[in-house]
């Protein structure tokens, strides 16, 4: 089998200290490498084009079971390490996309292996509880130790969920419930409401709406999908709700060079938001909440200014709408702060903040008043997975211990400046480099060139992701250091040079 | 701490062979008990009322973070074993509800502990992949070994998802996509469709519907919730879709005694289904799919005859609607067959079968023609969790090795006959005992008495669940043997005797 062959090759080629902390080894804690340099590989190593022959074979096999049109290649996760993802053909690639931005501290981090080696943790993996009715003894403590230790300003309450879509769906429900109780002036529904909701009708199922933004992405279940407007392929053929959609500012980059034009564009969008809130109220479909990403990710890494978000938060407050900041992709440190909205510098940035991906568990924080007023209103069988909280607590320890947010800020500066240099050198290919921390992106002249660059980078040992119509997004793990940035920039420069 | 105290108590009170396979111990495989009797406890053991003082303390603590109105008590999962759930106050209860029907083979089963002890598996827990783009090497094999080994008749394709709601949401989307392509005659959308879907409008977001049944439960995200009609508390204040809702037959039990009346009732409901399909087509909201549970669980354990389901399947075919059987609660063996729909004895029972809970991973099987026609249409970041597939493969091994479906059938007969006896003895309290396998239920004279019985049973060491307006549902694990049935019946009889 490819993986065992590879493991032999690696055993032969690695220094002794690396062999001892190979992922297969149980008691990593005792022999764990002290630094990332010691732990991970020293660079990409390519043996075939990607996908290689073994990946193609497996793709055929999986194709009998599922649509594999989106599969890039098959991975050897056992041999992957730190910033390097190893595939089943023995190719080792620098991962600047990290499973759609969902690997916080790299592959097989010794601290996470340690969670697995602790016998006290086993039962959390083997016995998944129905958290909403029968939580384990350590659940409150683990929440305090993990999620609550990074609670956004003004929030002390959190609800875990299994994934990003479920997090947003339930956050929307919490906003609808809160809004209706506010409209009623109390939380006792009428008999008419109770009866009509059972058959999907008003007033029990009210015609409330969530205001979202063009280019936004909030998930693919039907509530979330009604607020997602990034690509047609996500939405086509699925029934939806008639909810208001505001324009997201289309800014010019770098932001600091186009302050005046950008401020005008943002003012236009904010005005439109207020108009839509009024219009939908008049239509009988009041806006219960506004949902927005601090940086539109899937939609093309679209930024807006601090002033835009502050004004939007005020508009929400003024019109009595809940303000929901979706940090599923931006949360967890990639922007150099744990939450992207911290860059706004507000004491009361939001009513709801949802998360998933790098947090390993889904869920949402919320203000006290958005707590569901009765049991079983925000509920499902699993309500998350406490085994993910164990990993998250360790991830947060590592972030603190290794000052990873500072590292991200440092690496991010190097990455953004490198992209500025490259776009100056290849202005016919690259433009609009932008980013916060390592959460960076750059536009490519067209869709086809963007896709070609991503494919070429992969064959040279770098995994990148696309977003929007013609952007490349950078989503490395928090352990992506300055020397990884330079490694990437050199490889990318070589590829671009061919296009000159 | 309560748990370490308990572990000492248990160590003192247990025979040597039990001590060796205590959950905290790593190499369970070497010393695993050979039989369930050896492995688990010999009966309930109650030290306090439930919730006890430690649970109440933790509830207060968790109440600072979440609504805890639904929390029953806090658990010591480390000390729980087989059919027995241990709480943080040292109470050991026979679990006939199993985390809302989601524990397949009991707590801390040695076979599952073995999965954790295998170093080859560690990486699957530590590195959660974006399965839709970067699956691990063993993913196709694990699917074949686990899910595909239990694929419903006529189905060779399966999509994994993180939970039951996501499974149904994505199954609905697959049905909508399939239906629209059928209407179009091809799968190339018009420019108008592409543009309009981005803003939630027709024709890109078509006015299609899913037909569901009163009393049905299919989840709580907004698409699923539009097909859920079991309790108002799930639906109140959440916007919904105007989709058709058919009556589910209200049958008299035992079914074999009321064949004629029940057949009339079923005919009435089937007629209504056809009327609704026609009516909604005329309204411009064609029914793309019909969704139904083989036994309405949350809604009150409502059964229908084999003939009803066969006829319904034919109606779906006749009108060109997809037929989606939701086995999230019924799947996994509780009815004595792996899928409840197997009791219908059909070669072509459904177009889609969704699952979660006892299967440990969510997902849905589907006919070839319901495969999404393009990549990224049925997609999200995680697309399930391959670490759950590892456990599922083991669960299926145990089911086969220990003939658990036969055991369930045997225990289920004992349970149902016991319930028949009890309702004959206490006709003023119990009625309408019904069930398939151990998937049984009984009605109680009223809501308050039902809740009181469940609370009293818990204080006597038996965990039961409610469903519908005044039913008790029985959802033991597949390792619930005849002697557990008798244990339960004795305790329940004692409680009922007080009401006589």
């Amino acid at each position: 089998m490819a993986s065992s062959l590879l493991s032999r090759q690696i055993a032969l080629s690695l220094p002794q200290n690396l062999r001892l902390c190979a992922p297969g080894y149980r008691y990593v804690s005792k022999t764990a490498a002290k630094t990332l340099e010691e732990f991970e590989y020293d660079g990409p190593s390519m043996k075939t084009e990607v996908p290689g022959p073994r990946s193609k074979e497996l793709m055929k096999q999986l194709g009998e079971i599922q649509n594999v049109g989106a599969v890039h290649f098959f991975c050897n996760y056992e041999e992957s390490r730190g910033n390097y993802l190893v595939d089943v053909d023995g190719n080792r690639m620098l991962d600047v996309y990290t499973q759609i931005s969902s690997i916080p501290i790299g592959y097989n981090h010794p601290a996470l292996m340690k969670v697995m080696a602790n016998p006290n943790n086993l039962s959390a993996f083997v016995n998944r509880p129905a958290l909403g009715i029968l939580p384990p003894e350590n659940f409150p403590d683990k929440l305090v130790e993990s999620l609550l230790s990074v609670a956004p300003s003004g929030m002390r309450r959190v609800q875990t969920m299994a994934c990003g879509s479920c997090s947003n769906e339930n956050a929307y429900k919490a906003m609808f419930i809160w809004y209706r109780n506010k409209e009623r002036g109390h939380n006792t529904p009428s008999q008419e409401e109770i009866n009509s909701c059972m058959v999907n009708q008003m007033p029990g199922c009210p015609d409330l709406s969530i205001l979202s933004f063009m280019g936004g992405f909030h998930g693919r279940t039907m509530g979330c999908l009604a607020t997602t407007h990034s690509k047609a392929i996500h939405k086509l053929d699925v029934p939806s709700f008639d909810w208001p959609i505001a324009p997201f500012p289309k800014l010019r980059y770098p932001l600091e060079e186009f302050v005046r034009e950008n401020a005008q564009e943002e003012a236009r969008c904010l005005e439109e938001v207020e108009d839509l809130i009024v219009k939908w109220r008049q239509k009988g479909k009041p806006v219960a909440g506004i949902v927005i990403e601090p940086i539109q990710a899937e939609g093309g890494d679209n930024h807006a200014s601090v002033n835009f978000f502050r004004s939007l938060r005020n508009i929400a407050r003024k019109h009595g709408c809940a303000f929901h900041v979706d940090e599923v992709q931006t949360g967890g440190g990639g922007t150099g702060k744990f939450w992207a909205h911290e860059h706004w510098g507000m004491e009361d940035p939001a009513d709801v903040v949802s998360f998933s991906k790098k947090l390993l568990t889904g869920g949402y924080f919320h203000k006290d008043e958005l707590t569901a007023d009765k049991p079983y209103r925000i509920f499902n069988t699993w309500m998350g997975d406490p085994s993910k909280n164990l990993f998250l607590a360790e991830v947060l320890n590592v972030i603190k211990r290794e000052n990873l947010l500072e590292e991200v800020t440092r690496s991010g500066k190097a990455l953004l400046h490198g992209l500025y240099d490259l776009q100056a050198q290849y202005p016919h290919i690259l433009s609009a480099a932008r980013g916060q921390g390592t959460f960076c992106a750059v536009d490519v002249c067209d869709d086809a060139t963007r896709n070609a660059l991503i494919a070429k980078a992969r064959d040279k040992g770098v995994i990148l992701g696309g977003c929007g119509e013609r952007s490349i997004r950078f989503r490395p793990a928090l352990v992506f250091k300055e020397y990884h940035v330079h490694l990437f920039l050199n490889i990318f420069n070589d590829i671009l040079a061919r296009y000159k």
Side-chain angles (χ1 to χ4, degrees), chain A residues 309-374:
Chain A
F309 288 107
R310 289 180 172 212
S311 305
L312 189 65
R313 206 274 174 267
N314 285 335
I315 289 173
R317 201 183 280 114
K318 173 181 159 192
H319 290 275
C321 319
F323 190 57
H324 172 177
V325 178
D326 177 347
E327 293 247 24
V328 168
Q329 188 152 167
T330 50
T335 69
K337 294 195 184 282
F338 195 84
W339 302 109
H341 71 252
E342 290 176 56
H343 293 281
W344 309 342
M346 297 172 75
E347 269 178 35
D348 181 30
D351 299 305
V352 176
V353 172
S354 58
F355 55 83
S356 186
K357 291 194 183 258
K358 277 198 180 59
L359 280 285
L360 305 177
T361 172
Y364 63 98
F365 294 95
H366 57 88
K367 302 288 273 299
D368 291 3
E369 54 268 36
L370 273 118
T371 306
D373 58 341
K374 298 187 189 80

Side-chain angles (χ1 to χ4, degrees), chain A residues 266-276 315:
Chain A
E266 292 188 335
R268 180 187 74 88
C269 295
L270 291 168
E271 203 179 318
E272 182 78 9
V273 168
E274 290 214 64
D275 284 354
L276 287 168
I315 289 173

Side-chain angles (χ1 to χ4, degrees), chain A residues 231-306:
Chain A
K231 286 171 196 146
I233 196 78
H234 305 145
K235 293 177 66 77
L236 186 72
D237 298 342
V238 183
S240 195
F241 293 103
D242 178 31
W243 289 353
I245 307 154
F248 190 87
K250 286 188 196 303
L251 303 190
R252 294 188 66 187
Y253 302 93
L255 297 180
E256 51 280 17
E257 282 181 29
F258 299 95
V259 173
R260 208 176 46 89
E261 298 95 308
N262 286 345
Q264 276 177 357
E265 165 67 358
E266 292 188 335
R268 180 187 74 88
C269 295
L270 291 168
E271 203 179 318
E272 182 78 9
V273 168
E274 290 214 64
D275 284 354
L276 287 168
I277 293 174
V278 172
K279 210 168 139 191
W280 252 256
R281 194 188 298 137
Q282 284 164 354
K283 275 172 81 164
K285 301 181 179 185
V287 175
I290 296 176
V291 65
I292 195 160
E293 299 152 277
I295 301 168
Q296 284 194 334
E298 175 73 16
D301 271 39
N302 306 316
H303 292 247
S305 73
V306 167

Side-chain angles (χ1 to χ4, degrees), chain A residues 34-47:
Chain A
K34 291 285 173 294
T35 65
L36 185 65
E37 290 87 336
E38 265 176 64
F39 170 64
E40 72 171 16
Y41 301 103
D42 57 5
S45 158
M46 301 305 291
K47 299 203 161 52

Side-chain angles (χ1 to χ4, degrees), chain A residues 87-106:
Chain A
D87 79 0
V88 291
D89 290 284
N91 300 299
R92 183 205 305 158
M93 290 160 270
L94 181 67
D95 192 354
V96 196
Y97 192 41
T98 59
Q99 312 289 328
I100 322 181
S101 200
S102 68
I103 300 287
I105 53 173

Side-chain angles (χ1 to χ4, degrees), chain A residues 153-311:
Chain A
S153 174
M155 300 188 194
R156 310 177 294 179
R157 299 177 77 82
V158 68
Q159 195 66 65
T160 56
M161 288 285 157
C163 70
S165 282
C166 282
S167 306
N168 285 339
E169 288 274 343
N170 281 284
Y172 294 177
K173 285 169 64 175
M175 296 193 288
F176 289 132
I177 291 169
W178 163 82
Y179 193 88
R180 275 299 289 142
N181 281 336
K182 207 161 53 108
E183 281 187 328
R184 275 186 201 103
H186 56 78
N187 71 354
T188 310
S190 67
Q191 194 58 47
E192 192 194 357
E193 285 178 307
I194 289 170
N195 296 343
S196 58
C197 81
M198 291 296 281
V199 290
N200 300 9
Q201 300 300 317
M202 303 236 295
C205 292
D207 233 347
L208 296 176
S209 62
I210 302 285
L211 182 142
S212 56
F213 290 83
M214 274 312 291
F217 182 92
H218 304 286
R220 299 157 181 269
T221 47
M222 293 180 73
C224 295
L225 197 57
T227 59
T228 284
H229 317 281
S230 51
K231 286 171 196 146
I233 196 78
H234 305 145
K235 293 177 66 77
L236 186 72
D237 298 342
V238 183
S240 195
F241 293 103
D242 178 31
W243 289 353
I245 307 154
F248 190 87
K250 286 188 196 303
L251 303 190
R252 294 188 66 187
Y253 302 93
L255 297 180
E256 51 280 17
E257 282 181 29
F258 299 95
V259 173
R260 208 176 46 89
E261 298 95 308
N262 286 345
Q264 276 177 357
E265 165 67 358
E266 292 188 335
R268 180 187 74 88
C269 295
L270 291 168
E271 203 179 318
E272 182 78 9
V273 168
E274 290 214 64
D275 284 354
L276 287 168
I277 293 174
V278 172
K279 210 168 139 191
W280 252 256
R281 194 188 298 137
Q282 284 164 354
K283 275 172 81 164
K285 301 181 179 185
V287 175
I290 296 176
V291 65
I292 195 160
E293 299 152 277
I295 301 168
Q296 284 194 334
E298 175 73 16
D301 271 39
N302 306 316
H303 292 247
S305 73
V306 167
N307 184 55
F308 175 81
F309 288 107
R310 289 180 172 212
S311 305

